[in-house]
Amino acid sequence: MPLINQATLENIGIAFNALRAQKLRTILTVSLIAFGISCLVGMMTGINSLDRKINQEFMRLGSNTFTLRSGNSMMRGGRHGEASENYVPISYEEAMQFVAEYETEATVSVSAFGAGAKSVKYESNKTNPNVPVMGVDEHYLNLSSYVLESGRNFSPSDVASGENVVILGADVVKTLFNGIINPVDKQVQLDGKNYLVIGTLMPKGNTFGFASDNQFLIPVSTVRKNFETSSTDYSINVMLPSAELMPDAVSEAKGLMRIVRSDDIASEPSFDVRMSDSVVSELTDLISGITMGGILISIITLFGASIGLMNIMLVSVTERTREIGTRKALGASAKTVRRQFLVESIVIGQIGGLVGIAMGIMMGNGVAYLLETSFDMPWAWLGIGVTICFIVSVVSGYYPARKAANLDPIEALRYE
């Protein structure tokens, strides 16, 4: 027995003829359904891409790293109605004291933001004034997701003496050296000072809107010498040999940092400790909230689309009253008429669903393109989208179809 019988095929043909006769109403209704489904599918596709990007970016850090920052950097608010404290940034001396006195076996790196929106120059070539300056030490690359492409890393002597040496990101290298000249051992200028290029970084791509390849890395002591202000805040990144050491290592770090910062034992610490996995967890929670919001918006849109679909079907029944009367006078049963209008409603819903799915896939994979991750096909949500469209079509079309089926043929033929 065929899945679709001849009567159903005829009803589908009649449905398409009716839709062509009312193009504007059909387009508006299909657009409403398509928009709701595209929000749903696009959101899920984009969320999958974003989740994959988060995992890629934090995979290198793992669960065995943590960061110490001043309370200001974490935007801490007050408690119990009290105003938040204005914590002093972690100074270079405090960061160096922590590194010297921290006894747990670990790789400890100190970094600081030097300046933003700077322009770098090499001979006649010049970057846009959007290059950030970051002060790092010899351990920074090991604790980050950056990888050297050419040259060398900072040496302990570079960091200790505050040498004017730099490691350039891929975008800066491309702009200044056009991919032809080897940047290593060349002199570039920033704020009128010469910096010797000792290395370049592998391309990394954009990370959550941040141009990761637009980098100007210099020793953290050079930032102190050339860029430090009263608001310069030094961050301390710690990577342990294994995640099992995390509780004791964090406890020691908190105790030592209290001593370094001269925090009163009865008060809250003037710094924050953040684990990399906690950052991932917070981002995941944020994404879950965005997902629920997107689903809610899609449901509301589909609810509006279902009302619009029911309206167009009721109008269709009214406009085709004489046609219905003729069909019933020629022997069409109430069941046949009801099925005809239900099929028409389902056709509209499925057209809207297919258009919405195509739009959603393009939207979601547009997000994947911007995040520079692989494309994703959310098969489960495609099935859910088709199912939702079918349910919306049946629910919205049932009452108009029932109304058409219950029309009296004599009254219908007399309808003007």
Side-chain angles (χ1 to χ4, degrees):
M1 182 177 179
L3 293 175
I4 302 178
N5 56 32
Q6 186 63 33
T8 302
L9 290 174
E10 290 178 1
N11 284 332
I12 293 174
I14 294 170
F16 276 107
N17 290 332
L19 297 182
R20 281 194 291 268
Q22 298 292 339
K23 291 185 179 66
L24 181 59
R25 283 208 304 260
T26 301
I27 291 172
L28 291 175
T29 308
V30 166
S31 298
L32 275 173
I33 296 173
F35 182 72
I37 292 297
S38 67
C39 284
L40 186 64
V41 175
M43 179 69 68
M44 293 305 107
T45 309
I47 289 299
N48 289 344
S49 300
L50 185 57
D51 186 57
R52 188 163 52 249
K53 184 68 172 179
I54 290 173
N55 289 330
Q56 289 175 358
E57 292 301 321
F58 287 93
M59 190 177 296
R60 281 178 59 90
L61 297 179
S63 58
N64 61 331
T65 62
F66 64 91
T67 302
L68 293 99
R69 297 178 179 175
S70 71
N72 282 337
S73 64
M74 304 315 299
M75 301 176 65
R76 179 187 295 191
R79 297 185 179 181
H80 307 298
E82 300 175 0
S84 60
E85 295 186 52
N86 185 24
Y87 293 112
V88 177
I90 295 175
S91 68
Y92 180 81
E93 291 78 10
E94 289 172 338
M96 291 300 104
Q97 182 182 346
F98 178 91
V99 173
E101 298 180 7
Y102 190 59
E103 296 181 351
T104 298
E105 180 186 356
T107 302
V108 183
S109 173
V110 177
S111 60
F113 180 74
K118 291 293 183 179
S119 181
V120 186
K121 184 178 179 182
Y122 174 72
E123 294 182 350
S124 61
N125 295 330
K126 193 175 183 180
T127 68
N128 291 326
N130 63 350
V131 180
V133 179
M134 189 75 182
V136 302
D137 61 13
E138 68 272 22
H139 302 299
Y140 178 79
L141 295 183
N142 290 333
L143 272 73
S144 70
S145 55
Y146 290 107
V147 178
L148 276 175
E149 183 174 43
S150 63
R152 65 174 178 86
N153 190 11
F154 297 115
S155 67
S157 61
D158 292 332
V159 178
S161 59
E163 294 290 332
N164 279 10
V165 291
V166 61
I167 296 176
L168 298 177
D171 285 350
V172 180
V173 170
K174 183 178 179 181
T175 302
L176 296 182
F177 300 96
N178 300 316
I180 302 172
I181 303 171
N182 182 6
V184 178
D185 295 330
K186 299 297 188 296
Q187 296 274 352
V188 297
Q189 282 191 341
L190 184 142
D191 283 354
K193 293 184 175 64
N194 289 328
Y195 290 83
L196 177 67
V197 179
I198 63 170
T200 63
L201 299 173
M202 290 282 289
K204 185 180 178 183
N206 293 332
T207 306
F208 311 124
F210 176 70
S212 301
D213 294 331
N214 197 35
Q215 292 293 312
F216 194 90
L217 304 182
I218 61 177
V220 66
S221 52
T222 307
V223 162
R224 184 192 183 202
K225 179 178 67 175
N226 296 341
F227 297 98
E228 186 177 76
T229 66
S230 59
S231 61
T232 300
D233 194 16
Y234 293 83
S235 297
I236 303 168
N237 302 300
V238 181
M239 183 170 68
L240 303 167
S242 66
E244 288 74 18
L245 300 174
M246 184 69 76
D248 292 338
V250 171
S251 179
E252 181 191 344
K254 288 180 178 179
L256 176 57
M257 202 60 181
R258 274 186 173 274
I259 296 172
V260 170
R261 299 274 284 173
S262 301
D263 289 344
D264 189 282
I265 194 169
S267 63
E268 285 195 10
S270 61
F271 59 91
D272 278 299
V273 179
R274 296 294 297 274
M275 271 67 76
S276 59
D277 55 352
S278 70
V279 176
V280 175
S281 177
E282 289 180 10
L283 288 173
T284 303
D285 290 342
L286 177 61
I287 290 173
S288 298
I290 295 173
T291 303
M292 293 305 298
I295 292 174
L296 181 61
I297 292 171
S298 301
I299 291 173
I300 293 173
T301 305
L302 287 170
F303 180 74
S306 67
I307 295 174
L309 179 56
M310 182 178 291
N311 179 64
I312 193 174
M313 293 307 300
L314 286 170
V315 172
S316 180
V317 169
T318 301
E319 290 181 345
R320 295 158 61 188
T321 299
R322 288 177 64 85
E323 175 192 331
I324 296 168
T326 302
R327 288 179 179 276
K328 297 189 79 171
L330 293 174
S333 64
K335 181 180 179 181
T336 301
V337 173
R338 182 168 57 249
R339 183 179 298 164
Q340 174 191 330
F341 282 90
L342 268 177
V343 168
E344 186 174 322
S345 178
I346 291 171
V347 167
I348 294 175
Q350 293 306 304
I351 292 174
L354 292 175
V355 173
I357 286 171
M359 290 171 57
I361 291 173
M362 288 189 291
M363 289 165 52
N365 285 308
V367 174
Y369 176 79
L370 293 175
L371 293 175
E372 298 183 353
T373 63
S374 58
F375 286 0
D376 183 75
M377 188 67 72
W379 295 108
W381 284 100
L382 298 187
I384 292 173
V386 171
T387 303
I388 289 174
C389 286
F390 180 80
I391 294 172
V392 167
S393 302
V394 172
V395 171
S396 300
Y398 180 76
Y399 175 71
R402 183 171 176 271
K403 181 179 178 181
N406 291 337
L407 285 176
D408 182 84
I410 304 301
E411 295 296 328
L413 287 170
R414 295 171 57 188
Y415 182 80
E416 295 293 337

